[in-house]
Amino acid sequence: MDLKIRPIKNNVYYIGSKDANRKLFDQLVPLPQGTTYNSYLVKGSEKTAIVDTDYPKKLEEYKKRLQENNINKVDYIISNHAEQDHSGGIPMLLEMFPDAKVVTNAKVKENVMNMLHVPEDKFIVINDGDELSLGDKTFQFILAPFVHWPDTMFSYLKEDKMLFTCDFLGAHYTKHELFADYTDCLVEAAKRYYAEIIMPFRNFAKKYTDKVKEMDVEIILPSHGPVYDKPEWILDLYTDWTSDRVENKVVIPYVSMYESTKMMVDRLAEKLEAADIMVRMFDLVHCDEGELSMELVDCATVVLGSSMVLAGPHPAAVTAAYLVNALRPKLRYYSIIGSYGWGGNLEGTIEKMFTIIKPEKLDYVVIKGQPRDEDYAKVDVLAQQIIEKHKSL
Ligand code: FEO
């Protein structure tokens, strides 16, 4: 149990928790490096505030940390977002500090009241641009809906040029002590996090990346992962990820029961790579969805490979199609390839999954049994079609 609090700058402290051994977020997202739940203490000359709290399973540790460090006066609990990995500690803090008020926007208030049953008289509701004085420090609030919930907001500590961005610009990363280490490993963690959490709201993320770039910010303090004392580092990554630019890259998630689909996938990959196209293949039976999501951030084309099960696509392929659609990557083209034994419809069920994104459909190659020469020829035609399309990227 780590009970230390860490000074950041000018009476702003890190008081959150590291959860390096957590394996899964939302019972869905793999966490190869665990995560952190960032909570910050801001001491002004007159008032003290906590910005975001902690994950419910970490609250015992969180409480001890506050007690061990003699944090015995808190006036405001600023809640940037109601999801319980950040709001989970609000009821406990209100018990510890009965005079404290939860400062937040109307949507967070509604969500926190519904999820955690916090009484209405505990809230101070702010609007976009409103300010809160701690004496010698002033918070300004910036509503930032849909990065990633409708309730999300940022809190800007004006005198110290610190911006608390909640989930936006975060990372499931635990290798740091406090500040970002700016390594390739962090780039990967931040990209994985962006893909899973923020990419479905790419246009909003782009808007708020531009907005933060226009602000006078020296330190970015998200609610997961490290604190950035070089804000441009993470903002430049977001500028790229949220842009319309795609890589000369094809992602091939596939599932193959008797190797026939795999033989087609291998042939397609061989032809594409021979044309200097980057190919990323994912065997869906053993794949880390986070790695697949990360490759979707900037790939131009997805080719989904599937065997047939009970006259339809393999469930793993349907799940992958659902994920691709839900994450809303800036995909330009897609195709389906696969093999069946006695019959069925591979394409229809998968096509129906694309309800949100509308990439251009390329030729499908669906064959019976193991690929023959004429089937490989069809795969080669698809490869050539992709090569031609990618020339215009
Ligand atoms: Fe880290 Fe949307 O909560």
Side-chain angles (χ1 to χ4, degrees):
M1 196 178 282
D2 177 5
L3 299 181
K4 276 192 295 189
I5 68 172
R6 292 165 172 78
I8 298 172
K9 186 182 170 186
N10 297 350
N11 290 327
V12 178
Y13 301 85
Y14 182 88
I15 58 170
S17 301
K18 216 172 241 194
D19 200 352
N21 296 320
R22 188 170 174 187
K23 299 292 179 220
L24 213 54
F25 204 87
D26 291 344
Q27 303 300 81
L28 174 68
V29 175
L31 296 173
Q33 301 175 40
T35 192
T36 69
Y37 317 105
N38 298 348
S39 178
Y40 302 96
L41 181 79
V42 182
K43 287 185 179 173
S45 56
E46 293 170 21
K47 303 284 186 186
T48 297
I50 284 178
V51 181
D52 291 322
T53 68
D54 209 328
Y55 181 57
K57 289 184 180 173
K58 285 285 184 180
L59 289 182
E60 188 185 339
E61 178 182 330
Y62 185 62
K63 185 176 187 177
K64 277 193 182 144
R65 186 174 303 117
L66 296 175
Q67 289 169 335
E68 285 282 319
N69 291 281
N70 301 316
I71 312 300
N72 44 32
K73 177 180 170 291
V74 172
D75 302 285
Y76 303 118
I77 302 157
I78 296 172
S79 180
N80 282 328
H81 165 43
E83 199 163 7
Q84 289 179 55
D85 49 331
H86 311 298
S87 68
I90 291 176
M92 187 191 82
L93 287 178
L94 289 172
E95 274 180 27
M96 293 175 74
F97 310 105
D99 295 330
K101 294 287 184 189
V102 181
V103 180
T104 191
N105 64 70
K107 287 197 171 70
V108 169
K109 175 189 165 188
E110 183 187 342
N111 290 337
V112 169
M113 285 177 66
N114 286 335
M115 291 190 293
L116 296 168
H117 314 306
V118 174
E120 185 160 20
D121 64 358
K122 291 291 182 185
F123 290 88
I124 296 173
V125 176
I126 56 81
N127 291 306
D128 188 46
D130 283 357
E131 296 191 349
L132 176 76
S133 174
L134 306 184
D136 60 346
K137 294 183 187 293
T138 315
F139 273 108
Q140 184 173 51
F141 303 105
I142 299 157
L143 301 193
F146 292 104
V147 287
H148 66 131
W149 274 25
D151 64 8
T152 308
M153 70 179 198
F154 305 154
S155 298
Y156 180 54
L157 196 55
K158 289 167 71 174
E159 293 78 3
D160 300 301
K161 301 179 182 177
M162 293 179 168
L163 185 68
F164 301 79
T165 55
C166 202
D167 284 317
F168 187 54
L169 309 174
H172 291 312
Y173 191 74
T174 53
K175 292 185 177 175
H176 60 293
E177 177 60 19
L178 175 63
F179 288 101
D181 54 20
Y182 304 108
T183 58
D184 288 346
C185 193
L186 177 57
V187 174
E188 187 175 317
K191 188 173 186 180
R192 178 187 270 259
Y193 179 94
Y194 167 80
E196 293 161 340
I197 312 288
I198 306 292
M199 184 162 68
F201 310 97
R202 181 169 69 94
N203 290 334
F204 291 95
K206 180 177 171 50
K207 173 181 166 183
Y208 286 100
T209 299
D210 292 343
K211 185 170 178 115
V212 174
K213 277 189 157 178
E214 285 167 11
M215 294 173 63
D216 189 6
V217 176
E218 289 183 357
I219 300 181
I220 286 176
L221 306 95
S223 58
H224 296 286
V227 172
Y228 295 98
D229 53 1
K230 296 178 192 165
E232 67 285 358
W233 185 88
I234 186 71
L235 290 169
D236 286 348
L237 289 172
Y238 266 64
T239 296
D240 182 33
W241 297 334
T242 60
S243 74
D244 292 333
R245 188 188 71 84
V246 288
E247 299 256 13
N248 184 19
K249 177 162 74 180
V250 176
V251 172
I252 312 178
Y254 71 92
V255 53
S256 185
M257 290 160 58
Y258 287 100
E259 292 297 302
S260 301
T261 299
K262 175 70 163 59
M263 290 157 81
M264 298 167 73
V265 164
D266 287 344
R267 174 69 166 229
L268 180 65
E270 178 193 324
K271 293 289 174 184
L272 295 173
E273 283 173 342
D276 290 328
I277 293 178
M278 228 186 306
V279 176
R280 297 283 185 264
M281 293 191 282
F282 291 92
D283 178 348
L284 291 168
V285 177
H286 306 290
C287 130
D288 171 337
E289 290 85 355
E291 285 181 14
L292 170 58
S293 305
M294 204 167 27
E295 294 295 348
L296 293 174
V297 167
D298 45 22
C299 80
T301 300
V302 165
V303 178
L304 197 60
S306 179
S307 303
M308 192 88 78
V309 175
L310 299 174
H314 192 290
V318 178
T319 302
Y322 178 87
L323 186 72
V324 171
N325 183 62
L327 292 178
R328 304 186 196 197
K330 47 192 174 187
L331 198 58
R332 303 271 177 89
Y333 313 104
Y334 88 100
S335 174
I336 298 166
I337 61 176
S339 170
Y340 59 93
W342 50 265
N345 181 350
L346 199 64
E347 310 94 297
T349 306
I350 293 175
E351 269 182 351
K352 279 185 206 149
M353 305 305 292
F354 293 129
T355 55
I356 305 171
I357 59 166
K358 299 291 175 197
E360 183 182 333
K361 172 180 161 181
L362 305 180
D363 288 351
Y364 296 164
V365 185
V366 180
I367 66 163
K368 188 164 186 169
Q370 290 188 346
R372 301 175 176 84
D373 287 346
E374 59 265 37
D375 300 319
Y376 282 126
K378 289 178 190 164
V379 173
D380 294 350
V381 168
L382 172 61
Q384 195 54 43
Q385 205 178 11
I386 294 170
I387 291 164
E388 291 302 319
K389 292 286 184 189
H390 278 220
K391 281 180 185 168
S392 67
L393 294 179

